[in-house]
Amino acid sequence: ICHHHEEVNEIVRRIDGTTVEGKQPIKTKKELLAALNNIPLKNPTKGALARRIQFIAMKAWAAEADANCPANISDKQAAILEKEGIGQIRKDRPGVVSPPKSEP
């Protein structure tokens, strides 16, 4: 990380809302990952910063996957799914969506 302290400090300032050298503030996970991936790494597979970037990317992906999991869908969202005929959230099995009910 010590080899990249200037780049990392720039990213931290951008996260804090500062425009740095014409680069806009970072407001989303996607923008953060793009900024981190633009750092030229000396050891892109096993270096300390490379491992940390990979960890951040995995955490961001996991958080996004959790947010989209049917177990985390609100009752209002579940009602929309059912109304639109997409499926029905199973209360007895969190995270499982049953196929839409077929009309007789």
Side-chain angles (χ1 to χ4, degrees), residues 45-70:
T45 57
K46 295 185 180 181
L49 183 57
R51 291 191 318 270
R52 284 166 177 79
I53 291 171
Q54 184 180 35
F55 176 81
I56 291 167
M58 287 184 342
K59 287 292 186 179
W61 176 84
E64 190 172 305
D66 283 348
N68 293 325
C69 176

Side-chain angles (χ1 to χ4, degrees), residues 8-41:
V8 172
N9 286 339
E10 175 186 299
I11 290 172
V12 170
R13 288 195 310 269
R14 290 177 61 204
I15 291 170
D16 199 34
T18 305
T19 299
V20 179
E21 298 178 13
K23 297 176 184 171
Q24 295 298 315
I26 294 172
K27 297 179 182 176
T28 66
K29 288 185 282 187
K30 186 176 180 178
E31 291 171 345
L32 173 60
L33 292 174
L36 290 169
N37 285 323
N38 282 331
I39 297 173
L41 301 173

Side-chain angles (χ1 to χ4, degrees), residues 7 23 36 54 74 81 101:
E7 293 98 332
K23 297 176 184 171
L36 290 169
Q54 184 180 35
S74 70
L81 283 175
K101 294 178 184 174

Side-chain angles (χ1 to χ4, degrees), residues 88-96 98:
Q88 188 174 22
I89 303 298
R90 300 269 314 258
K91 298 292 183 185
D92 60 325
R93 294 179 60 199
V96 175
S98 294

